[in-house]
Amino acid sequence: MKSEDIAAKPVVGQHVVAPRQNQHQPDKAAGLDIAIVVPTYNESQNVRKVISVLSAVLTPLRFEIIFVDDNSPDRTADIVRDLASEYPQVRCLQRVGRRGLSSAAIEGMLATTAPVVALIDGDLQHDETALPKMLDILYSEGVDMVVGSRYAEGGGFGDWSQNRRRLSELATRLSKRMTGVELTDPMSGFFLIRSNCLRERVGDLTGVGYKILLDILSAPGGKIALREVPYEFREREAGESKLDNKVILEFIELLLARTIGRWIPTKFIMFAMVGALGIVVHMVVLTLLFRSGFVSFAAGQAIATVVAMTTNFFVNNVFTYFDRQLRGWQLLPGWATFCAASAVGAVANLGIAVYLFETMDTVWFLSALGGVIVGSAWNYAVTALYTWKTG
Ligand code: GDD
Ligand code: MN
């Protein structure tokens, strides 16, 4: 068929199809077919190869490759910009003063006008050759998402260590149970999504941590139709993984956010978990001092409060506020503001506990608990603002 024939003939709907090589979007005459979003942090040794393999595999399509780099110290962003002179499809979104794989992925996906976006790691561990097939499946099956899976029949892990596999399997099971997301690989960082499907949900994403897919799928809003495509996870050749303890804490935070976090702020849940530990510390100290007859109830309660407060400060600093953890010399003003802020909480705690115990004749255990609860709520609110500067 000649191109004039097509132009002259109205096709289904009001649109006219212009002649073009691919048939993925029969109702759009121009514009991009797909954007590939590549979050990077210290991937300077990998970006050239990433661009060349992606370009090779995507060539028949109209595409752009968006790198989202968090101002990597190894100057990944500069290298990407240099490469853009050879590859005009390359974009570079450089974020300053920010870190995070999920938020980088989200911002990259929002930066394109393409109707479909793919997310792929910038270290060549994901199998880019699966992309054309994934795009075909998206359109031929009419789904919103196509997810690369290491667990699906035919997928695999390359040479992952036993430990890393076990951790991944545990996280997979846990996330399935807690969020109800039915996927063989909910931890996958390799997928394709229709841009409008993402944009509809973007206001509900937490943007926390590594698990962008889980974040999208567990967000409120209708079910997302998807298919899984197996792929083999490759070995990393250059650079190093950024998966560390922080990633595990971020994962816990995401699971909390998607479960009880719907009703109570996630940080408060974590703070309360630490608080529960603080109650144990408090009770142990109080039991040792008061029950053994060393000191009066009031003195015991006061000492237990100080000990629990200090323990809570350090545990909150590495657990609840792992993402804005105070270090080195910052610990001193941190601890000081934590104590100063909770001094008022401690006074309220002590006042209420003593009142309950002495005036109301409440049993010592419940008196202490009453004081601790009021003190903790106050501590959370004030330290979130002043110690870890949330607001
Ligand atoms: N912009 C930005 N900011 N990019 C980041 C950050 C960050 O804070 N942290 C990591 N990245 C980039 C890396 O440069 C890499 O391109 C990609 O995100 C994945 O990071 P890795 O550190 O290599 O992660 P991984 O190999 O352990 O795990 C990946 O693969 C798993 C299997 O699909 C991730 O994609 C996991 O989410 C995924 O489960
Ligand atoms: Mn990797």
Side-chain angles (χ1 to χ4, degrees), residues 38-43 46 68-72 93 95 98-105 119-126 148 150 157 160 164 168 185-190 210-212 231 233-234 236 240-243 246-247:
V38 190
T40 55
Y41 193 75
N42 285 346
E43 302 291 359
N46 289 316
V68 187
D69 184 70
D70 288 351
N71 212 16
S72 303
L93 184 62
R95 306 196 304 171
R98 316 253 310 271
R99 272 301 301 275
L101 177 49
S102 281
S103 63
L119 180 69
I120 191 164
D121 284 355
D123 57 4
L124 301 154
Q125 290 196 271
H126 292 156
R150 298 161 291 175
F157 283 87
W160 259 20
R164 174 97 204 246
S168 172
D185 194 358
M187 320 300 282
S188 179
F190 181 36
Y210 252 47
K211 302 308 167 196
I212 172 71
Y231 80 96
F233 199 64
R234 298 186 195 132
R236 191 186 247 279
E240 46 193 52
S241 171
K242 283 93 209 169
L243 192 121
K246 195 177 156 209
V247 170

Side-chain angles (χ1 to χ4, degrees), residues 292-311:
S292 59
F294 272 128
V295 295
S296 69
F297 175 77
Q301 177 77 352
I303 295 168
T305 303
V306 172
V307 174
M309 193 166 71
T310 304
T311 318

